[in-house]
Amino acid sequence: MGRLYAIADLHLSWDLNRQELAKLDYCPDDSLILAGDLGEKAEHLELAFEVATKRFKKVYWVPGNHELYSIASGDDDNPTPRGVKKYEECVEIARRYGVLTPEDEFAVHESEGDPVLICLLFTLYDYTFAPPPHDKSPEKALAWAEEVGTVATDEILLHADPYDHKVAWGLARQAISRQRLEEAKKKHPDLPLVLVNHWPLRRDLIYIPLAPRFEIWCGSVKTEAWHREFGAKVVVTGHLHVPRTDWRDGCRFEEVSLGYPRQWQGPRDNGLDINTLMREIWPGESERKGEVPLEDSTRPRWRRNG
């Protein structure tokens, strides 16, 4: 039985990243997690799913902020869907290819290691990843970020329709994800979980040195203990474009993004490609070697070079 791999932030609007996707090895016994930000358009998702499903036994997907962007099509008779409808369009595309989404039942992954339950989540964010007192409201958080000129494209292209604000949509998605996790633990009490979400579940694992205040668009404080509460073995996220491995409470946290071409120029120069930059999630190198740390990691393991 095969292994479980993950990669995020393929950003297929970039030609070089599309070329890289075509280099995916054929791994008919393995499964692949696509942890969000495949691109902004339906054609980007279709390309990713077309390639991945031909290479891997099973493919899982969660949305990132870029999939939720509503970009004007110039066709007044067929307006671009916004908010929940844009997300639902993405889910329908995934289902045409047999790709599992956060709207499907959590799947048991059988591999060369112990079986695990793959929990596909969609939590969005609620602007609470800001320091006090800026975390008291989205307006205060946004003002804090704007002090240094940081404004996410989300504020222009990511809409929450029919919700009146992205915070309301984020809180609704967090509630749905929590309920599904609670139900999963009742149904599979002995199975360890792999939590998959595009946005980081913990603020202390966010490192964006060029735009540190971008963290307000990176998640919610409400998810910070989910790995412990639900007995997760691994948490898979993307979004930051800073691949790294961390350990908290015996749980391995993997940031698995590829990023924009300029951000992984170094790995390309060193002869690495998408196959060496994908991350093995389960059973995982540490688990196979029996090297699971007994204490939380004080320093991340940076993985820009694989």
Side-chain angles (χ1 to χ4, degrees), residues 6 9 15 31 34 43 57 63 73 78 80 99 133 158 167 184 195 200 242 255 281 286 306:
D9 298 79
D15 182 64
S31 297
L34 297 171
E43 64 194 58
K57 180 178 180 180
S73 64
N78 295 286
T80 302
V99 173
L158 203 165
V167 169
L195 308 188
V242 185
E255 207 283 1
I281 299 304
S286 299

PDB file of all heavy atoms in Angstrom, residues 6 9 15 31 34 43 57 63 73 78 80 99 133 158 167 184 195 200 242 255 281 286 306:
ATOM      1  N   ALA A   6       1.631  15.533   0.048  1.00  0.00           N
ATOM      2  CA  ALA A   6       0.877  16.795   0.004  1.00  0.00           C
ATOM      3  C   ALA A   6       1.711  17.893  -0.624  1.00  0.00           C
ATOM      4  O   ALA A   6       2.942  17.926  -0.500  1.00  0.00           O
ATOM      5  CB  ALA A   6       0.439  17.208   1.406  1.00  0.00           C
ATOM      6  N   ASP A   9      -0.431  25.529  -2.844  1.00  0.00           N
ATOM      7  CA  ASP A   9      -0.023  26.785  -3.468  1.00  0.00           C
ATOM      8  C   ASP A   9       0.727  26.554  -4.785  1.00  0.00           C
ATOM      9  O   ASP A   9       1.815  27.085  -5.005  1.00  0.00           O
ATOM     10  CB  ASP A   9       0.816  27.616  -2.490  1.00  0.00           C
ATOM     11  CG  ASP A   9       0.043  27.991  -1.242  1.00  0.00           C
ATOM     12  OD1 ASP A   9      -0.099  27.133  -0.345  1.00  0.00           O
ATOM     13  OD2 ASP A   9      -0.452  29.117  -1.172  1.00  0.00           O
ATOM     14  N   ASP A  15       2.883  30.282 -15.770  1.00  0.00           N
ATOM     15  CA  ASP A  15       3.238  29.293 -16.783  1.00  0.00           C
ATOM     16  C   ASP A  15       4.292  28.314 -16.275  1.00  0.00           C
ATOM     17  O   ASP A  15       4.199  27.107 -16.516  1.00  0.00           O
ATOM     18  CB  ASP A  15       3.740  30.003 -18.047  1.00  0.00           C
ATOM     19  CG  ASP A  15       4.088  29.018 -19.151  1.00  0.00           C
ATOM     20  OD1 ASP A  15       3.176  28.316 -19.630  1.00  0.00           O
ATOM     21  OD2 ASP A  15       5.272  28.931 -19.523  1.00  0.00           O
ATOM     22  N   SER A  31      -1.307   8.459  -2.651  1.00  0.00           N
ATOM     23  CA  SER A  31      -2.382   9.456  -2.671  1.00  0.00           C
ATOM     24  C   SER A  31      -1.789  10.846  -2.467  1.00  0.00           C
ATOM     25  O   SER A  31      -0.699  10.993  -1.908  1.00  0.00           O
ATOM     26  CB  SER A  31      -3.416   9.152  -1.588  1.00  0.00           C
ATOM     27  OG  SER A  31      -4.045   7.910  -1.828  1.00  0.00           O
ATOM     28  N   LEU A  34      -3.929  18.140  -2.182  1.00  0.00           N
ATOM     29  CA  LEU A  34      -3.719  19.469  -2.759  1.00  0.00           C
ATOM     30  C   LEU A  34      -4.333  20.462  -1.785  1.00  0.00           C
ATOM     31  O   LEU A  34      -5.548  20.602  -1.709  1.00  0.00           O
ATOM     32  CB  LEU A  34      -4.383  19.563  -4.136  1.00  0.00           C
ATOM     33  CG  LEU A  34      -3.824  18.612  -5.205  1.00  0.00           C
ATOM     34  CD1 LEU A  34      -4.702  18.629  -6.454  1.00  0.00           C
ATOM     35  CD2 LEU A  34      -2.385  18.982  -5.553  1.00  0.00           C
ATOM     36  N   GLU A  43     -10.344  26.747 -14.854  1.00  0.00           N
ATOM     37  CA  GLU A  43      -9.371  26.026 -15.678  1.00  0.00           C
ATOM     38  C   GLU A  43      -8.143  25.608 -14.875  1.00  0.00           C
ATOM     39  O   GLU A  43      -7.505  24.597 -15.196  1.00  0.00           O
ATOM     40  CB  GLU A  43      -8.948  26.891 -16.861  1.00  0.00           C
ATOM     41  CG  GLU A  43      -8.211  28.165 -16.474  1.00  0.00           C
ATOM     42  CD  GLU A  43      -8.111  29.147 -17.624  1.00  0.00           C
ATOM     43  OE1 GLU A  43      -9.166  29.549 -18.154  1.00  0.00           O
ATOM     44  OE2 GLU A  43      -6.974  29.507 -17.975  1.00  0.00           O
ATOM     45  N   LYS A  57      -3.462   7.478  -6.897  1.00  0.00           N
ATOM     46  CA  LYS A  57      -4.604   6.600  -6.632  1.00  0.00           C
ATOM     47  C   LYS A  57      -5.804   7.395  -6.134  1.00  0.00           C
ATOM     48  O   LYS A  57      -6.940   7.167  -6.553  1.00  0.00           O
ATOM     49  CB  LYS A  57      -4.202   5.547  -5.603  1.00  0.00           C
ATOM     50  CG  LYS A  57      -5.296   4.565  -5.227  1.00  0.00           C
ATOM     51  CD  LYS A  57      -4.767   3.544  -4.233  1.00  0.00           C
ATOM     52  CE  LYS A  57      -5.840   2.537  -3.842  1.00  0.00           C
ATOM     53  NZ  LYS A  57      -5.304   1.541  -2.865  1.00  0.00           N
ATOM     54  N   PRO A  63      -9.941  24.178  -0.289  1.00  0.00           N
ATOM     55  CA  PRO A  63      -9.781  25.468  -0.956  1.00  0.00           C
ATOM     56  C   PRO A  63      -8.833  26.393  -0.211  1.00  0.00           C
ATOM     57  O   PRO A  63      -8.716  26.344   1.008  1.00  0.00           O
ATOM     58  CB  PRO A  63     -11.203  26.037  -0.942  1.00  0.00           C
ATOM     59  CG  PRO A  63     -11.787  25.495   0.327  1.00  0.00           C
ATOM     60  CD  PRO A  63     -11.224  24.093   0.444  1.00  0.00           C
ATOM     61  N   SER A  73     -15.254  38.512 -15.466  1.00  0.00           N
ATOM     62  CA  SER A  73     -15.101  37.786 -16.728  1.00  0.00           C
ATOM     63  C   SER A  73     -15.362  38.669 -17.942  1.00  0.00           C
ATOM     64  O   SER A  73     -15.023  38.295 -19.064  1.00  0.00           O
ATOM     65  CB  SER A  73     -16.077  36.608 -16.766  1.00  0.00           C
ATOM     66  OG  SER A  73     -17.417  37.065 -16.747  1.00  0.00           O
ATOM     67  N   ASN A  78     -23.093  36.234 -17.884  1.00  0.00           N
ATOM     68  CA  ASN A  78     -22.614  35.128 -17.050  1.00  0.00           C
ATOM     69  C   ASN A  78     -21.647  35.673 -16.008  1.00  0.00           C
ATOM     70  O   ASN A  78     -20.424  35.488 -16.126  1.00  0.00           O
ATOM     71  CB  ASN A  78     -21.932  34.056 -17.908  1.00  0.00           C
ATOM     72  CG  ASN A  78     -22.887  33.384 -18.862  1.00  0.00           C
ATOM     73  OD1 ASN A  78     -23.716  32.578 -18.439  1.00  0.00           O
ATOM     74  ND2 ASN A  78     -22.778  33.718 -20.138  1.00  0.00           N
ATOM     75  N   THR A  80     -19.319  36.290 -12.785  1.00  0.00           N
ATOM     76  CA  THR A  80     -18.500  35.389 -11.985  1.00  0.00           C
ATOM     77  C   THR A  80     -19.161  35.146 -10.636  1.00  0.00           C
ATOM     78  O   THR A  80     -19.575  36.100  -9.972  1.00  0.00           O
ATOM     79  CB  THR A  80     -17.107  36.004 -11.767  1.00  0.00           C
ATOM     80  OG1 THR A  80     -16.507  36.257 -13.034  1.00  0.00           O
ATOM     81  CG2 THR A  80     -16.222  35.075 -10.952  1.00  0.00           C
ATOM     82  N   VAL A  99     -12.320  13.869  -6.996  1.00  0.00           N
ATOM     83  CA  VAL A  99     -11.455  14.422  -5.949  1.00  0.00           C
ATOM     84  C   VAL A  99     -12.294  14.703  -4.710  1.00  0.00           C
ATOM     85  O   VAL A  99     -13.364  15.325  -4.804  1.00  0.00           O
ATOM     86  CB  VAL A  99     -10.771  15.715  -6.442  1.00  0.00           C
ATOM     87  CG1 VAL A  99      -9.997  16.385  -5.314  1.00  0.00           C
ATOM     88  CG2 VAL A  99      -9.855  15.400  -7.629  1.00  0.00           C
ATOM     89  N   PRO A 133      -4.358  45.234  21.224  1.00  0.00           N
ATOM     90  CA  PRO A 133      -5.826  45.184  21.218  1.00  0.00           C
ATOM     91  C   PRO A 133      -6.420  45.106  19.813  1.00  0.00           C
ATOM     92  O   PRO A 133      -7.616  45.228  19.631  1.00  0.00           O
ATOM     93  CB  PRO A 133      -6.190  46.517  21.865  1.00  0.00           C
ATOM     94  CG  PRO A 133      -5.130  47.451  21.356  1.00  0.00           C
ATOM     95  CD  PRO A 133      -3.856  46.629  21.298  1.00  0.00           C
ATOM     96  N   LEU A 158     -11.972  38.583  -2.674  1.00  0.00           N
ATOM     97  CA  LEU A 158     -12.622  37.493  -1.948  1.00  0.00           C
ATOM     98  C   LEU A 158     -13.881  38.031  -1.282  1.00  0.00           C
ATOM     99  O   LEU A 158     -13.802  38.850  -0.370  1.00  0.00           O
ATOM    100  CB  LEU A 158     -11.674  36.888  -0.906  1.00  0.00           C
ATOM    101  CG  LEU A 158     -11.968  35.448  -0.467  1.00  0.00           C
ATOM    102  CD1 LEU A 158     -10.766  34.845   0.279  1.00  0.00           C
ATOM    103  CD2 LEU A 158     -13.205  35.341   0.413  1.00  0.00           C
ATOM    104  N   VAL A 167     -15.856  37.536   8.096  1.00  0.00           N
ATOM    105  CA  VAL A 167     -15.811  37.003   9.461  1.00  0.00           C
ATOM    106  C   VAL A 167     -16.983  36.056   9.690  1.00  0.00           C
ATOM    107  O   VAL A 167     -16.823  34.962  10.246  1.00  0.00           O
ATOM    108  CB  VAL A 167     -15.829  38.140  10.502  1.00  0.00           C
ATOM    109  CG1 VAL A 167     -16.049  37.568  11.902  1.00  0.00           C
ATOM    110  CG2 VAL A 167     -14.516  38.913  10.465  1.00  0.00           C
ATOM    111  N   ALA A 184     -16.500  12.759  13.659  1.00  0.00           N
ATOM    112  CA  ALA A 184     -15.500  11.792  13.196  1.00  0.00           C
ATOM    113  C   ALA A 184     -14.863  11.052  14.365  1.00  0.00           C
ATOM    114  O   ALA A 184     -14.628   9.842  14.287  1.00  0.00           O
ATOM    115  CB  ALA A 184     -14.435  12.513  12.374  1.00  0.00           C
ATOM    116  N   LEU A 195      -5.291  16.350   9.849  1.00  0.00           N
ATOM    117  CA  LEU A 195      -6.101  17.534   9.587  1.00  0.00           C
ATOM    118  C   LEU A 195      -5.504  18.290   8.408  1.00  0.00           C
ATOM    119  O   LEU A 195      -4.296  18.557   8.379  1.00  0.00           O
ATOM    120  CB  LEU A 195      -6.140  18.454  10.813  1.00  0.00           C
ATOM    121  CG  LEU A 195      -6.543  17.833  12.151  1.00  0.00           C
ATOM    122  CD1 LEU A 195      -6.706  18.929  13.202  1.00  0.00           C
ATOM    123  CD2 LEU A 195      -7.808  17.009  12.019  1.00  0.00           C
ATOM    124  N   PRO A 200      -3.160  28.203   8.207  1.00  0.00           N
ATOM    125  CA  PRO A 200      -2.558  27.649   9.424  1.00  0.00           C
ATOM    126  C   PRO A 200      -3.576  27.567  10.564  1.00  0.00           C
ATOM    127  O   PRO A 200      -4.426  28.453  10.707  1.00  0.00           O
ATOM    128  CB  PRO A 200      -1.441  28.639   9.755  1.00  0.00           C
ATOM    129  CG  PRO A 200      -1.113  29.296   8.450  1.00  0.00           C
ATOM    130  CD  PRO A 200      -2.415  29.381   7.701  1.00  0.00           C
ATOM    131  N   VAL A 242       6.148  29.249   2.828  1.00  0.00           N
ATOM    132  CA  VAL A 242       7.362  29.029   3.615  1.00  0.00           C
ATOM    133  C   VAL A 242       7.325  27.590   4.124  1.00  0.00           C
ATOM    134  O   VAL A 242       6.877  27.323   5.242  1.00  0.00           O
ATOM    135  CB  VAL A 242       7.470  30.011   4.806  1.00  0.00           C
ATOM    136  CG1 VAL A 242       8.801  29.825   5.535  1.00  0.00           C
ATOM    137  CG2 VAL A 242       7.323  31.451   4.341  1.00  0.00           C
ATOM    138  N   GLU A 255       3.848  22.653   6.680  1.00  0.00           N
ATOM    139  CA  GLU A 255       3.495  23.692   5.717  1.00  0.00           C
ATOM    140  C   GLU A 255       4.079  23.235   4.387  1.00  0.00           C
ATOM    141  O   GLU A 255       5.296  23.056   4.254  1.00  0.00           O
ATOM    142  CB  GLU A 255       4.075  25.043   6.140  1.00  0.00           C
ATOM    143  CG  GLU A 255       3.304  26.250   5.633  1.00  0.00           C
ATOM    144  CD  GLU A 255       3.518  26.604   4.169  1.00  0.00           C
ATOM    145  OE1 GLU A 255       4.267  25.894   3.482  1.00  0.00           O
ATOM    146  OE2 GLU A 255       2.941  27.605   3.712  1.00  0.00           O
ATOM    147  N   ILE A 281       3.416  12.867   3.942  1.00  0.00           N
ATOM    148  CA  ILE A 281       2.604  13.145   5.118  1.00  0.00           C
ATOM    149  C   ILE A 281       2.425  11.910   5.985  1.00  0.00           C
ATOM    150  O   ILE A 281       2.531  11.965   7.213  1.00  0.00           O
ATOM    151  CB  ILE A 281       1.228  13.695   4.689  1.00  0.00           C
ATOM    152  CG1 ILE A 281       1.405  15.002   3.903  1.00  0.00           C
ATOM    153  CG2 ILE A 281       0.329  13.912   5.908  1.00  0.00           C
ATOM    154  CD1 ILE A 281       2.166  16.085   4.628  1.00  0.00           C
ATOM    155  N   SER A 286       9.781  10.745   9.886  1.00  0.00           N
ATOM    156  CA  SER A 286      10.051  10.653  11.321  1.00  0.00           C
ATOM    157  C   SER A 286       9.391   9.424  11.927  1.00  0.00           C
ATOM    158  O   SER A 286       9.983   8.718  12.760  1.00  0.00           O
ATOM    159  CB  SER A 286       9.549  11.913  12.038  1.00  0.00           C
ATOM    160  OG  SER A 286      10.204  13.063  11.552  1.00  0.00           O
ATOM    161  N   GLY A 306      13.644  21.137  -0.041  1.00  0.00           N
ATOM    162  CA  GLY A 306      13.172  19.756  -0.019  1.00  0.00           C
ATOM    163  C   GLY A 306      13.199  19.156   1.362  1.00  0.00           C
ATOM    164  O   GLY A 306      13.435  19.808   2.355  1.00  0.00           O
TER     165      GLY A 306
END
